[in-house]
Amino acid sequence: MSHVPLELALIWFGVLAYAASTFAAWRELIARHGRGAVLPWLAVGLVCIGLGIGLRWQRIGHGPFLNMFEILISNLFSLGLVFAVAYWRMPAARAAAVVVMPILMVLALWALAVDPVDTHLPATYQTPLLWLHVAAGKLFLGLCLIAVGLGGVICLQRSRIMQSIIHASPPAPLLDALAWRLMMLALLFQTSMLVVGAWWAQGAWGRYWAWDALETWAFATWVALAVAVHLRRSYNTAPIGGAAMIFVVFILAFLTFFGVPFISSAPHKGAV
Amino acid sequence: LRFWLHLDVPRNDERGWVLNSKAVRGTLILDVEGRRLELKLGQSVRLPGGELDFAELRAWMGYKIYFDPTLPWLLFVAAIGLLGLGWHLWQPLGRLPVVKSDQNHGQSAGALT
C-alpha cells in the first residue's frame, strides 16, 4: 500500500474516533453513562490524524499550510489538541465537549469532502516566523473554540427542552468566567499572531501590512475580540450576553481562517 | 548565442526611474560565436540556422529597493504593546480554574475586573 491511501485512511479513522468522542460527550451530558470516554476517543483521533499529517508531511516535504484540505486537517489536529489539554486540565471545561466536538466534526466532514491534492511550499513560506504565526493563530482559535463550547452550554442550560435532559454541567457563572478568561488568553495569542504575521510579511512581500482580505478580516476579528473583552470586563455582562459576544467573535474568526483565504485573490492566501 | 540590452538613454541613479518601452530606445547587443553585432529596434540579422528580428522592447524585470529605519522600532513598540496587554490581563488570567477535581465548580466564578 502506498503512503497516500495510508495517510488518508489514518485521517478517516481519526475522524471516526472524533465522532465516537462526540457521541460520548452527549451521552455523558444527558445520561451520565460512559463517563471518561470523551478524552480517550479524542486522544485516539489525535494520534491517527497526527500520524496521517506526519506521513503526508514526509511524502510532500512540508507541513499542512496551504490548500483547504491541509488547513482543515491541521486545524482538526490543533483544535482537537487544545481542547484535549483543556478537557484534561480543566474539569469545568469538559461540558464544552457537547458543542466543541460537533464543530470539529463539521471541519472533519468538510475535510473529507475536499480534494486532498498535494501542494508546493512557496519560498516566502520557508521561514521560522511561519511557525510562530501559525502556532499563535491555532492557539487563538482553539481557545475561542472552547469558549464557544462553554457559551453553548450556557445557552443549552437556558433551553427548556435541554434543561430537562441535562444532568451534569457546571453553573453558568463558572462557565462564563472560564470562557472569558480563555477569551482574554485568545486575545493575547491573536495579537501575537498579527505582530509576527506583520514581521513575516515585511520579509516575504516587502510590506508589513497591506490591508489584503485576510489581514483586514483578521484585524476585524481582533477589534471584535478586544471590544468584547472590554465590554465583559467593564460591564460584567450576564452569561447569556457574554455567550452571544463569544459567538460573534468566533464566527468572525472562523470566516477569517476558513473562508477569506480561499475566496480572495490576494497573495496572502498562500499562492506565493 | 548571448545577448544583452544597452539602453540609449542617460540615467540618473539618484532618482526613481521607470523604463518605458514606448519612449526608451535600446540597442540589442549580440555575441555570436565571439562576433559582436548590434541591432536597433526593427532591425534583423541572419544567423546560422535562422533570422533574429528585434521586433520590440516589451517587458523587463524591475526591482524596488525599500528601506525604512523605523521598522525595528515599530516591532519593538508592538512587542511592548503585547507585553503591556499581557500584564493588563495577567491578574484575571491568574484565576483560570485549572483544577483537577470536579468538586471545585463555582469556586472560580466571578467578575473579571
Side-chain angles (χ1 to χ4, degrees):
Chain A
M1 185 185 282
S2 72
H3 280 157
V4 175
L6 178 59
E7 69 195 30
L8 283 179
L10 281 166
I11 290 167
W12 292 340
F13 194 78
V15 170
L16 281 178
Y18 272 28
S21 182
T22 308
F23 177 73
W26 275 92
R27 195 173 177 213
E28 285 184 19
L29 186 75
I30 294 171
R32 281 188 171 180
H33 290 310
R35 287 185 75 81
V38 175
L39 192 56
W41 277 118
L42 185 54
V44 169
L46 281 171
V47 169
C48 291
I49 293 172
L51 282 173
I53 291 173
L55 284 177
R56 181 184 165 87
W57 194 324
Q58 192 179 35
R59 181 174 60 79
I60 65 177
H62 63 80
F65 302 118
L66 295 168
N67 64 16
M68 192 50 127
F69 178 73
E70 293 177 350
I71 299 290
L72 286 168
I73 58 171
S74 77
N75 276 287
L76 262 185
F77 180 79
S78 60
L79 298 179
L81 183 62
V82 171
F83 181 61
V85 171
Y87 191 95
W88 172 44
R89 296 295 299 163
M90 299 181 200
R94 291 175 187 169
V98 292
V99 177
V100 170
M101 292 311 300
I103 293 174
L104 288 180
M105 284 308 298
V106 170
L107 292 182
L109 295 175
W110 190 359
L112 297 186
V114 170
D115 186 10
V117 64
D118 293 349
T119 53
H120 171 72
L121 192 73
T124 49
Y125 276 56
Q126 293 167 17
T127 163
L129 293 174
L130 171 69
W131 294 94
L132 289 174
H133 180 67
V134 169
K138 287 186 181 305
L139 283 168
F140 153 68
L141 195 64
L143 293 167
C144 249
L145 178 65
I146 302 169
V148 163
L150 296 169
V153 175
I154 292 171
C155 293
L156 290 175
Q157 286 174 341
R158 289 173 63 92
S159 153
R160 283 185 185 172
I161 300 170
M162 294 307 296
Q163 265 179 350
S164 59
I165 57 174
I166 288 180
H167 294 295
S169 67
L174 173 64
L175 296 174
D176 175 71
L178 178 57
W180 281 100
R181 280 159 198 166
L182 295 174
M183 290 296 274
M184 285 189 284
L185 209 51
L187 178 61
L188 287 176
F189 281 116
Q190 202 204 3
T191 309
S192 309
M193 180 189 77
L194 292 182
V195 171
V196 176
W199 189 1
W200 169 26
Q202 180 61 39
W205 299 299
R207 87 292 187 285
Y208 56 89
W209 195 268
W211 294 108
D212 73 24
L214 190 56
E215 288 168 355
T216 305
W217 279 94
F219 182 68
T221 307
W222 184 88
V223 170
L225 177 53
V227 168
V229 166
H230 174 69
L231 288 175
R232 175 61 183 82
R233 292 193 65 189
S234 300
Y235 299 101
N236 207 19
T237 52
I240 192 73
M245 290 195 291
I246 291 170
F247 295 156
V248 169
V249 171
F250 182 74
I251 288 168
L252 277 173
F254 193 90
L255 287 174
T256 303
F257 272 73
F258 302 108
V260 177
F262 301 97
I263 57 171
S264 161
S265 60
H268 199 153
K269 75 172 188 172
V272 295
Chain B
L1 174 68
R2 294 170 57 229
F3 56 90
W4 60 95
L5 185 69
H6 179 264
L7 298 175
D8 302 331
V9 289
R11 203 176 67 221
N12 183 356
D13 290 335
E14 298 298 317
R15 301 180 61 189
W17 184 75
V18 174
L19 176 60
N20 183 342
S21 61
K22 290 179 181 169
V24 173
R25 291 286 173 266
T27 302
L28 192 63
I29 315 292
L30 302 177
D31 181 354
V32 185
E33 296 173 350
R35 186 163 60 101
R36 179 187 171 97
L37 296 171
E38 294 187 0
L39 285 184
K40 295 287 186 186
L41 197 66
Q43 290 182 331
S44 59
V45 62
R46 187 168 294 277
L47 297 171
E51 185 171 309
L52 180 68
D53 185 15
F54 184 14
E56 60 178 317
L57 183 59
R58 187 181 293 170
W60 57 89
M61 181 175 284
Y63 298 91
K64 181 181 176 185
I65 298 173
Y66 177 85
F67 175 67
D68 183 347
T70 66
L71 282 180
W73 292 102
L74 186 61
L75 181 61
F76 177 72
V77 170
I80 293 292
L82 182 60
L83 289 174
L85 184 64
W87 180 71
H88 178 61
L89 298 176
W90 181 254
Q91 193 181 353
L93 279 175
R95 293 201 297 267
L96 262 175
V98 183
V99 289
K100 284 205 163 184
S101 166
D102 276 350
Q103 305 306 314
N104 290 351
H105 287 161
Q107 286 185 357
S108 299
L112 299 174
T113 51

